[in-house]
Amino acid sequence: MNKITPDHHIHHAFDQELRQLDAVVLKMCDQVTSLLQDAITAVTTGDLELASAVVKRDQEIDELEFLVKEKTVQILALREPKAVDLRWVIAALESASNLERMGDMAKNIAKRVAILTSFAPMDGIAEINRMAHMIIDFMEKIRQSWAEKNSTPALEAWNGDALVDTLFDALFKNLMVVMIHSPRNITQGTHLLFIAKNLERIGDHITNIAESIYYLETGKKIGSTRPKTDDHYRTSIPLSASSASANSASDTRNSEPVAITIPKGTSSAK
């Protein structure tokens, strides 16, 4: 189909309003990506000052979402958009709502840094960092898709989210093994699980935005359910035995690494 651009209206002010709406959504994409990057950096480095800054900056994303709502209401009331223009406005509103929730989750991740720094390092951080880099890559694809009004990069992120799910499932199972065999790791392990779950939920919001972009471009719903992994393609992501017990290697004698499924043609690391 022809590239969707805001320059086909008799009233040039309408074109300008759509461009302004676009600019706010893209700014939200940039700020959410930056917020998530800094939140994960704070987790991996124990940087309390950076974590505090992330918590404060989330307010900026909330304000941008409100601005999108204001512009959307104005356009709907004054322009009565139809067809692709209406889909454009609705997609912007839906995307802003998802981006705002993603900002909240990045803030939640940053809030856990203060607790994690009171404990000795624990295996699981590397896997969380791996999930985060994957999600940030998907965020960049979403931004590209929104800027170009081209759903192809967004669909790549939509398809890739299955791997985020499998990484989360494997990390969850392995951290449960760690906490069962070493109860003194329960507090730290629980906070790592909350961080991983926030990342997994951010991935779900990315798929929501991808679906909005696809609907904007085509006027249709993506014609299949979001793919899951294929059991025929398996690998293992074990956590090291040392994390299962700080006292004795015998604590992990009955534990095994959890096998996860990797879709064909999907890179497991950024």
Side-chain angles (χ1 to χ4, degrees), residues 43 108-109 111-113 115-116 119-120 122-125 128 168 171-172 174-180 182-199 239 243:
V43 169
N108 290 341
I109 290 171
K111 283 182 174 180
R112 301 186 184 277
V113 173
I115 298 173
L116 290 175
F119 294 90
M122 175 180 177
D123 281 353
I125 295 291
I128 285 173
F168 170 75
L171 181 60
F172 176 86
N174 279 304
L175 284 177
M176 289 299 294
V177 170
V178 170
M179 291 187 285
I180 288 170
S182 183
R184 72 178 187 174
N185 284 323
I186 287 176
T187 299
Q188 186 182 11
T190 299
H191 284 285
L192 289 176
L193 285 175
F194 276 122
I195 289 172
K197 184 59 180 178
N198 275 287
L199 288 172
L239 296 183
S243 68

Side-chain angles (χ1 to χ4, degrees), residues 29-93:
C29 284
D30 292 338
Q31 292 202 8
V32 169
T33 301
S34 175
L35 208 67
L36 180 57
Q37 288 173 326
D38 287 347
I40 294 302
T41 297
V43 169
T44 56
T45 64
D47 190 331
L48 294 175
E49 184 176 346
L50 182 59
S52 178
V54 168
V55 172
K56 294 176 181 177
R57 283 163 49 202
D58 177 61
Q59 180 62 32
E60 299 173 7
I61 296 172
D62 295 342
E63 292 170 358
L64 288 174
E65 186 208 14
F66 184 76
L67 183 57
V68 169
K69 290 179 178 178
E70 281 191 321
K71 290 183 176 297
T72 297
V73 169
Q74 182 181 28
I75 291 173
L76 290 173
L78 300 180
R79 302 300 181 187
E80 298 183 355
K82 295 178 175 59
V84 67
D85 296 328
L86 180 59
R87 299 200 303 271
W88 190 319
V89 174
I90 297 303
L93 184 62

